[in-house]
Amino acid sequence: MDTLGWPSGELNLKISFDYLLKDILSLGWWQSDMACIVDQQGQYMAHTNMTMKERHTLGGENDPMELAVYEKMNRFPSGTVNSQGHPPKMVAGFHRLEHVPWTIILFAKGSNIFAPIIRYRNMFGAVSLVLIFIVLMLIRRHVCSIVDQIKALSNNAGLVSQGIYGPPVKFESRDEIGQLVVNYNEMVNGLKQRDFIRDFFGRYVDPEFAKSLLEHPDAGRLGGKRREVVLMMSDIRGFTPLAETLSPEVIIRILNRYFSHMIRIIQEYNGIIVDFFGDAILVFFDPLSGQVCGRALCAVQCAVKKQASMADFNRLMTEEKFPELSMGIGINAGPVVVGNIGSKTRAKYGVVGSAVNITSRIQTKALENEVLVSDTIFACIKDEVDINRTINADLKGIENKVTLRSIKNFLRK
């Protein structure tokens, strides 16, 4: 333009894009096979493919890929276009420049572009298979452990049904299966305790008192501990000559009726039946952690109630045309060995000691319907009872005479 603003001539500027495109190929998209620059109308301004030297317009040969690129670049400033196939045969990427109306387009083979993705996919698939295999092995190991524990529970349950308990089932986990094993072991311990009560105490001890016995550490061991207990022995008077006049069936029926009646009263006062000697019953009252005097009073109360209940018992015997019965009772206290007597296969909870023999001899001195107690027992209950008579008796195994007292009734109800 001249000074007046009129055109004074034309200046044609020829620009070479070779170095620009070279840098684009080396720095922009390293897998590119071809780079080109087009204007807004799709006219080639520069390209790197020598075979396209005679082509001037993007999509001029109706190439679907180029037409798709041209259509998309008119709508978006940048983007990518893929041809058909998996992976696509060709991939094109374009970007519109900011300060000039040109767009740079790069073309590359899909196999080159997607090679990292394919490698990642293959590696991911391989690693996934390995992880799946590891997970399956861990699951199999865990499931096998669960199955083994369930089998162990099943086998042990079968043995328990036969009365064979065996050792507790081991558990290696804290999950639901582990809790099941713990509950199973607790159940088996409960069954063992139940059988212990049945085997060692049987029908001769009140179940609630048997449980309190089990709370003491020495209850389940063979042998036992020496301690002072209260002993009571009762015997039917004149039963031996009476039995000679009755049939064996009638004798057993009378004894069973009598024992059932007495056992109920003994259990009411937490007495422990040691044994039956013919028609005699040996019972002891274990003070456990308490004082022997408390059990002495309990034993005398039990004996008095047994004698008082004989009236009702004989009334039933008379109704069935059976002879009436009467008994004598002796009560004593002394040191004995208390524990499980016998072997591992057969044992009973009982007492052993000279005090047992003395109790038996005191019982022989008792008259019909009488309760005789030793000095040791009377010292504990003298303020609670009234007495009928006092005797000085010679007992076998004791040099001096022994003072025995007959209990009449209790002073306080």
Side-chain angles (χ1 to χ4, degrees):
M1 308 295 288
D2 58 15
T3 56
L4 298 176
W6 294 95
S8 61
E10 289 185 356
L11 176 64
N12 292 324
L13 182 63
K14 186 176 182 181
I15 304 175
S16 174
F17 295 95
D18 293 344
Y19 291 101
L20 174 62
L21 294 178
K22 181 180 179 181
D23 292 338
I24 291 175
L25 286 175
S26 62
L27 301 177
W29 205 348
W30 68 94
Q31 300 94 343
S32 300
D33 294 326
M34 185 185 75
C36 61
I37 299 176
V38 298
D39 60 13
Q40 292 180 334
Q41 287 74 36
Q43 298 291 326
Y44 282 116
M45 301 184 67
H47 55 74
T48 61
N49 193 339
M50 298 302 296
T51 61
M52 300 176 64
K53 188 175 182 179
E54 302 299 327
R55 294 179 55 183
H56 304 286
T57 305
L58 183 66
E61 300 293 329
N62 293 323
D63 182 273
M65 183 70 173
E66 295 182 7
L67 292 174
V69 172
Y70 180 70
E71 187 272 333
K72 194 170 184 178
M73 61 179 280
N74 288 327
R75 294 188 292 119
F76 303 100
S78 61
T80 59
V81 177
N82 300 336
S83 65
Q84 295 181 351
H86 297 284
K89 185 177 180 180
M90 293 295 295
V91 177
F94 63 90
H95 180 76
R96 185 181 304 161
L97 301 179
E98 296 182 1
H99 302 292
V100 291
W102 302 337
T103 301
I104 299 177
I105 305 174
L106 304 178
F107 292 90
K109 293 180 180 179
S111 58
N112 295 335
I113 297 298
F114 287 94
I117 298 176
I118 295 173
R119 285 195 302 270
Y120 175 79
R121 180 194 64 187
N122 295 339
M123 184 177 297
F124 179 82
V127 173
S128 297
L129 291 176
V130 173
L131 290 177
I132 291 173
F133 176 77
I134 294 174
V135 170
L136 290 177
M137 292 302 295
L138 292 175
I139 292 175
R140 183 177 183 276
R141 180 180 178 182
H142 184 65
V143 170
C144 288
S145 176
I146 293 175
V147 171
D148 291 340
Q149 287 189 328
I150 292 176
K151 286 182 179 179
L153 288 176
S154 178
N155 294 336
N156 280 33
L159 295 175
V160 169
S161 66
Q162 302 173 17
I164 304 172
Y165 295 108
V169 179
K170 296 181 179 180
F171 63 97
E172 300 176 354
S173 62
R174 298 290 180 179
D175 55 8
E176 289 79 2
I177 297 298
Q179 186 61 43
L180 175 62
V181 175
V182 171
N183 293 339
Y184 172 83
N185 289 334
E186 291 178 353
M187 178 195 72
V188 172
N189 288 334
L191 293 175
K192 287 181 179 179
Q193 187 181 71
R194 184 201 65 183
D195 288 352
F196 178 81
I197 295 173
R198 181 195 65 193
D199 294 338
F200 285 97
F201 305 108
R203 295 172 296 173
Y204 311 132
V205 182
D206 180 71
E208 292 301 321
F209 185 64
K211 290 180 181 179
S212 67
L213 285 173
L214 291 175
E215 295 176 357
H216 290 73
D218 61 330
R221 297 197 305 263
L222 288 175
K225 286 187 175 182
R226 179 177 295 275
R227 59 176 179 263
E228 191 171 5
V229 301
V230 178
L231 299 143
M232 177 179 68
M233 178 173 280
S234 60
D235 181 73
I236 300 176
R237 293 294 181 257
F239 187 78
T240 301
L242 176 64
E244 295 177 354
T245 64
L246 301 173
S247 66
E249 293 80 5
V250 173
I251 294 173
I252 296 300
R253 186 174 180 183
I254 292 174
L255 285 177
N256 287 341
R257 184 75 60 83
Y258 167 76
F259 286 144
S260 298
H261 189 74
M262 293 297 110
I263 288 171
R264 185 175 63 255
I265 299 174
I266 293 169
Q267 289 182 345
E268 180 181 344
Y269 289 91
N270 293 331
I272 303 172
I273 298 176
V274 178
D275 215 336
F276 299 101
F277 303 98
D279 57 302
I281 307 175
L282 175 61
V283 182
F284 79 98
F285 296 81
D286 196 339
L288 297 178
S289 301
Q291 298 296 323
V292 71
C293 282
R295 304 308 295 161
L297 179 61
C298 186
V300 174
Q301 290 174 333
C302 177
V304 171
K305 186 168 184 177
K306 285 171 64 177
Q307 291 289 20
S309 68
M310 287 300 292
D312 295 333
F313 176 76
N314 284 325
R315 189 181 308 111
L316 295 175
M317 296 286 288
T318 303
E319 291 177 357
E320 297 187 19
K321 299 185 177 357
F322 289 145
E324 294 185 0
L325 303 178
S326 60
M327 64 179 175
I329 300 176
I331 302 176
N332 182 37
V336 295
V337 176
V338 182
N340 298 310
I341 304 169
S343 66
K344 292 182 179 179
T345 57
R346 182 63 180 170
K348 68 177 181 179
Y349 192 72
V351 293
V352 176
S354 61
V356 178
N357 298 329
I358 295 173
T359 305
S360 175
R361 290 164 189 147
I362 293 174
Q363 174 270 136
T364 61
K365 301 296 181 179
L367 303 176
E368 294 183 356
N369 305 319
E370 187 176 44
V371 177
L372 281 182
V373 300
S374 65
D375 268 344
T376 306
I377 297 296
F378 184 72
C380 293
I381 64 169
K382 60 183 178 181
D383 296 330
E384 303 288 340
V385 298
D386 189 10
I387 60 174
N388 275 324
R389 66 188 181 108
T390 301
I391 62 173
N392 294 317
D394 292 318
L395 300 181
K396 183 179 178 180
I398 301 178
E399 294 182 359
N400 300 323
K401 289 183 179 294
V402 176
T403 302
L404 304 176
R405 292 174 176 82
S406 174
I407 303 300
K408 182 178 182 181
N409 54 38
F410 283 89
L411 297 177
R412 291 178 292 181
K413 298 296 183 181

